[in-house]
Amino acid sequence: MKKILLIAFASISLLGFAQDKKGDVTSFYEKNMVLNYNDEQSRAGNIQQPTKFDPNFHIYLCFGQSNMEGNARIEPQDREGLNTRFKMMAAVDFPNTGREKGKWYVAVPPLCRENNGLTPVDYFGRTMVENTPPEVSIGVINVSIGGCSIDLFDEDKSQDYIAHAAGWLQGFCRQYDNHPYQRLIEMARLAQKAGVIKGILLHQGCTDNGQRNWPERVKLVYERILNDLGLEAEQCPLLVGELATQQDGGTCSLHNSVIATMPLVIPTSYVVSSLGCPCNIDKLHFTSEGYRELGRRYAQVMLRAEKVSEALAGNSGKKAKKSKK
């Protein structure tokens, strides 16, 4: 009976979303909030903090909305078999588990904020560790906010966006001192003292579903990140994950046709397919298994993208030698 009532409630909620005059996902979040699936049993994952720069410490910046933030239940298997080579930097304090902003920990979920769930970043990192030499460590920094538009990460628009946002979203933003983009940059600069930023992961679009100018808005954020951190696009690819597909029942699958155009707008961007990654009953978020599979795919695409980056770096070196002659 409990199960039937839950399904009925979810169906009514989704119907309300579909008929909403606002025509965006923000209204869905206002009615349903973001479910927090963490069971508060996570360990801090304390490690010795890096004391010097290590070129074999590869770091990845992650941002977006709730699918990147983490919106599925953390299960026992997600805390088992974690390699200490996979680390996360806390972008906020985690009062209940003792994590401190700006410090590195073994990547025990949750990785974004204390009450978030499983994210693609969890299995992205695991898969990267499995496919890199033992001397290489993987680090992630995740600054994501459920229900937000890409405009939240545009410094020219973010303050106005926050001022007119729903109260619950403003609450999330306060954890980043109302400057989530700046928090990402602050943490990234700190991370650059310990390792090399090798790529950027984005999963966002439900709130901006179908907006054709979305790639150009993403480009502004991507280029600002590169500029603020002194990174070259060819050596720091942007990976963009698809939303839950129409075939898998996703409500915002229209946006995947927009995501497909990303490489035309940003040549150093790559699309990560979500086809076959199961989505949750709300049709917006993936299940735990969906996040695991999507995270593995992010890693597979990143590994391919890094080979391209290495080839480009090699060609640049050859051209430099020729020019000296």
Side-chain angles (χ1 to χ4, degrees), residues 40-56:
E40 297 184 358
Q41 292 179 10
S42 57
R43 296 173 289 115
N46 292 317
I47 55 171
Q48 188 173 352
Q49 296 303 300
T51 56
K52 59 182 181 179
F53 176 79
D54 179 2
N56 287 322

Side-chain angles (χ1 to χ4, degrees), residues 197-238:
I197 294 174
K198 299 279 285 183
I200 301 171
L201 281 61
L202 169 65
H203 199 286
Q204 192 278 327
C206 286
T207 297
D208 301 322
N209 186 25
Q211 295 176 15
R212 307 310 295 186
N213 68 345
W214 184 82
E216 284 76 15
R217 288 149 66 197
V218 171
K219 184 181 181 183
L220 286 173
V221 178
Y222 175 58
E223 290 183 343
R224 181 167 279 169
I225 291 173
L226 296 177
N227 184 62
D228 286 347
L229 297 176
L231 301 169
E232 296 292 333
E234 291 77 11
Q235 302 305 312
C236 189
L238 172 69

Side-chain angles (χ1 to χ4, degrees), residues 172-184:
F172 292 157
C173 292
R174 280 194 290 274
Q175 294 186 55
Y176 300 105
D177 296 328
N178 289 323
H179 287 279
Y181 173 83
Q182 287 301 335
R183 178 64 58 83
L184 182 64

Side-chain angles (χ1 to χ4, degrees), residues 241-255:
E242 287 184 336
L243 310 187
T245 67
Q246 183 178 14
Q247 296 92 318
D248 296 310
T251 297
C252 297
S253 58
L254 170 65
H255 200 65

Side-chain angles (χ1 to χ4, degrees), residues 83-87 124-134 136-138 299:
N83 193 313
T84 56
R85 287 167 51 211
F86 177 28
K87 314 172 197 305
F124 164 79
R126 286 181 178 229
T127 307
M128 292 297 290
V129 164
E130 290 167 4
N131 289 275
T132 49
V136 173
S137 291
I138 302 297

Side-chain angles (χ1 to χ4, degrees), residues 130-321:
E130 290 167 4
N131 289 275
T132 49
E135 66 271 17
V136 173
S137 291
I138 302 297
V140 294
I141 302 171
N142 190 348
V143 175
S144 300
I145 293 181
C148 76
S149 164
I150 193 64
D151 294 340
L152 180 63
F153 293 95
D154 182 340
E155 279 293 273
D156 297 327
K157 298 177 181 176
S158 63
Q159 294 311 296
D160 183 64
Y161 182 82
I162 292 170
H164 294 91
W168 55 265
L169 195 145
Q170 291 178 342
F172 292 157
C173 292
R174 280 194 290 274
Q175 294 186 55
Y176 300 105
D177 296 328
N178 289 323
H179 287 279
Y181 173 83
Q182 287 301 335
R183 178 64 58 83
L184 182 64
I185 296 302
E186 177 193 355
M187 296 298 98
R189 285 176 175 155
L190 191 58
Q192 284 180 309
K193 296 177 181 178
V196 182
I197 294 174
K198 299 279 285 183
I200 301 171
L201 281 61
L202 169 65
H203 199 286
Q204 192 278 327
C206 286
T207 297
D208 301 322
N209 186 25
Q211 295 176 15
R212 307 310 295 186
N213 68 345
W214 184 82
E216 284 76 15
R217 288 149 66 197
V218 171
K219 184 181 181 183
L220 286 173
V221 178
Y222 175 58
E223 290 183 343
R224 181 167 279 169
I225 291 173
L226 296 177
N227 184 62
D228 286 347
L229 297 176
L231 301 169
E232 296 292 333
E234 291 77 11
Q235 302 305 312
C236 189
L238 172 69
L239 271 57
V240 185
E242 287 184 336
L243 310 187
T245 67
Q246 183 178 14
Q247 296 92 318
D248 296 310
T251 297
C252 297
S253 58
L254 170 65
H255 200 65
N256 289 340
S257 64
V258 178
I259 292 173
T261 68
M262 284 301 304
L264 300 176
V265 179
I266 303 174
T268 51
S269 68
Y270 298 79
V271 175
V272 180
S273 171
S274 69
L275 183 63
C277 296
C279 69
N280 214 331
I281 193 169
D282 64 14
K283 302 183 185 298
L284 293 172
H285 304 105
F286 297 93
T287 63
S288 299
E289 184 49 45
Y291 284 127
R292 293 182 195 112
E293 178 57 26
L294 189 58
R296 294 182 192 109
R297 294 181 187 182
Y298 266 101
Q300 290 157 4
V301 174
M302 183 61 76
L303 290 165
R304 292 199 299 271
E306 287 182 353
K307 286 182 180 176
V308 173
S309 296
E310 288 167 12
L312 290 171
N315 289 335
S316 297
K318 287 175 186 176
K319 285 177 184 176
K321 285 179 183 177

